Amino acid sequence: MSLSPTARVTLGLGFTQIVGWGTTYLMPSVLGRHIQDDLNVSSELVFAGITVMFGVGALCSPRIGRIVDRTGARWLMTAGSLVYALALAALAMSQGPISYLACWAVLGVASSLALSTPSSIAIVQVAGPRARRAIAMLTIIGGLASTVFWPLTGVLDSAIGWRQTLFAYAALHLLACAPIHLLVLPRRPPVHPPSPGATAAASGMAPAELSRAYLLLSISLSFGAFVFTGAQVHMIEILRGLGHAPAAALLLASLIGPAQISIRLFEMLFGHRYSIMRSAVLGSAMLPVGIGLALIAGDGFAVALVFIVAYGISNGLKAVQRATLPLALFGRAQFGAYMGRLSLPQGIVSAVAPPAMAAVMSQLGTPVALWVTFAAAMISLGAMILLARLGRMIR
């Protein structure tokens, strides 16, 4: 039985997103110690590569979004895979901090061409009215990146070393991801009948209301991104700072992934039964509730479990809503342009958040770090509530 175009694109992009995240953002967690020793650099500099990647990708995203609107994602995402291959091969040959960080800058260009923003735009262009469900499915598949690549990277590192592992990952982008992008994505964005709900919502807003909606969505997603990218990489240390033993902290942190995937699966199966705005407010509210409980009694295992599940649910919903909310608010015609514009502040925040959280934790301790994340989560929730009031008719 042949797959539909939407299913084929979702599965193909799901694979390339797993590879994209697994060979970049998740890679230093496993290879970082050997890179640090071999290049004689600090651990902070090793992980600064991720900050550089996010920052460069954020600066490129607005223009990429506009281009994908006009031409589709096929050629840009194929080019992105080629740039990934070149950057990872160069990273495997890096000899010091300058060449190391320069390679991460090129990975930032590659990520803007072939990672989350263009993949979301491509899914919307292909799936049309069924975009919400397709995006949820794509995030479910992409959520498996750490499950696949942390153990795979560990095995390859032990067998062939970090440099050869990066050469292997360069080959994976060149020989697998580039052909997938070339084969599964259409030459031009397909034309769909207008979606009555989304089109009416977008065209029914006055320009001033659209500008306000964009500002509120950008604030909500950016402050949410601060919490998610800033806290997740330090979650084990946060839990230990709350008083949990290392084994318990690791167990609790490992439950974030299942919570994210579970809510994304629920969204895929039942999302058509409720408003996207209602889901967005609920997801935003879960975050400060969970963090607030951790601040009150986070040293208890049961409370910490609720905190982790709430965090995972909120993060899982936000991953879906980063694409579905702009689609519902602004329509398909300029979806890529809005996605690119929204990616700029989110990418900058994602670049700054991990080192900022590390500095707060080391200088002021875990409770203060949690208060900072709680404040950011409350701002995100407040902006989302105002956005829901502005777009109350949106499904």
Side-chain angles (χ1 to χ4, degrees), residues 10-394:
T10 303
L11 291 174
L13 292 183
F15 175 84
T16 64
Q17 297 305 286
I18 287 176
V19 174
W21 288 114
T23 58
T24 57
Y25 176 68
L26 298 170
M27 174 266 292
S29 299
V30 180
L31 300 184
R33 179 170 55 85
H34 292 155
I35 295 174
Q36 177 184 344
D37 294 342
D38 202 3
L39 300 185
N40 193 27
V41 296
S42 66
S43 174
E44 290 80 6
L45 188 137
V46 169
F47 284 90
I50 297 174
T51 298
V52 171
M53 183 184 79
F54 276 132
V56 172
L59 294 174
C60 295
S61 289
R63 182 170 179 81
I64 296 300
R66 292 192 297 269
I67 293 173
V68 177
D69 264 342
R70 296 195 306 268
T71 66
R74 185 189 195 195
W75 297 111
L76 281 178
M77 295 193 76
T78 302
S81 294
L82 300 179
V83 177
Y84 265 131
L86 290 172
L88 286 169
L91 188 62
M93 297 184 286
S94 60
Q95 298 299 320
I98 295 176
S99 59
Y100 176 79
L101 293 178
C103 291
W104 277 100
V106 181
L107 286 173
V109 176
S111 70
S112 72
L113 293 169
L115 208 53
S116 55
T117 297
S119 69
S120 296
I121 301 169
I123 281 288
V124 167
Q125 289 177 340
V126 172
R130 297 178 295 278
R132 182 175 176 183
R133 182 168 183 166
I135 290 168
M137 185 64 199
L138 182 63
T139 60
I140 290 171
I141 299 172
L144 299 173
S146 60
T147 304
V148 173
F149 268 87
W150 273 341
L152 175 62
T153 304
V155 169
L156 290 174
D157 184 34
S158 298
I160 59 178
W162 73 270
R163 293 186 186 273
Q164 296 303 318
T165 297
L166 292 182
F167 277 124
Y169 287 165
L172 185 59
H173 281 280
L174 179 65
L175 301 177
C177 294
I180 286 173
H181 289 148
L182 195 61
L183 293 173
V184 306
L185 293 172
R187 290 179 180 272
R188 300 287 299 178
V191 177
H192 298 280
S195 172
T199 303
S203 63
M205 284 187 181
E209 291 179 321
L210 284 174
S211 297
R212 187 180 173 205
Y214 168 80
L215 178 62
L216 290 171
L217 182 59
S218 181
I219 291 172
S220 183
L221 293 179
S222 297
F223 277 91
F226 178 88
V227 178
F228 296 131
T229 58
Q232 185 147 353
V233 295
H234 302 295
M235 187 58 74
I236 294 175
E237 289 304 314
I238 288 173
L239 291 166
R240 292 183 66 176
L242 290 172
H244 296 277
L250 180 61
L251 172 63
L252 286 165
S254 69
L255 297 176
I256 293 174
Q260 291 177 166
I261 291 176
S262 297
I263 195 63
R264 290 170 187 172
L265 182 61
F266 184 89
E267 173 73 14
M268 184 188 72
L269 295 175
F270 304 108
H272 63 283
R273 297 186 179 182
Y274 50 85
S275 162
I276 183 66
M277 296 306 306
R278 182 175 298 176
S279 173
V281 172
L282 174 64
S284 298
M286 294 289 288
L287 194 55
V289 168
I291 298 171
L293 287 173
L295 283 166
I296 294 170
D299 56 341
F301 187 87
V303 172
L305 179 61
V306 173
F307 160 51
I308 288 297
V309 171
Y311 177 93
I313 289 173
S314 184
N315 196 359
L317 286 174
K318 271 291 197 297
V320 178
Q321 291 155 6
R322 273 194 293 269
T324 54
L325 276 174
L327 179 63
L329 288 164
F330 311 119
R332 289 200 297 267
Q334 294 183 313
F335 175 71
Y338 276 107
M339 281 293 291
R341 287 173 59 195
L342 287 166
S343 295
L344 176 58
Q346 289 180 74
I348 292 173
V349 168
S350 296
V352 171
M357 283 292 292
V360 172
M361 289 176 64
S362 64
Q363 298 296 321
L364 303 173
T366 298
V368 175
L370 279 175
W371 275 112
V372 171
T373 60
F374 179 78
M378 286 299 295
I379 294 172
S380 178
L381 173 60
M384 189 60 72
I385 290 173
L386 292 174
L387 180 62
R389 293 180 63 186
L390 184 64
R392 59 173 59 91
M393 299 304 294
I394 290 178

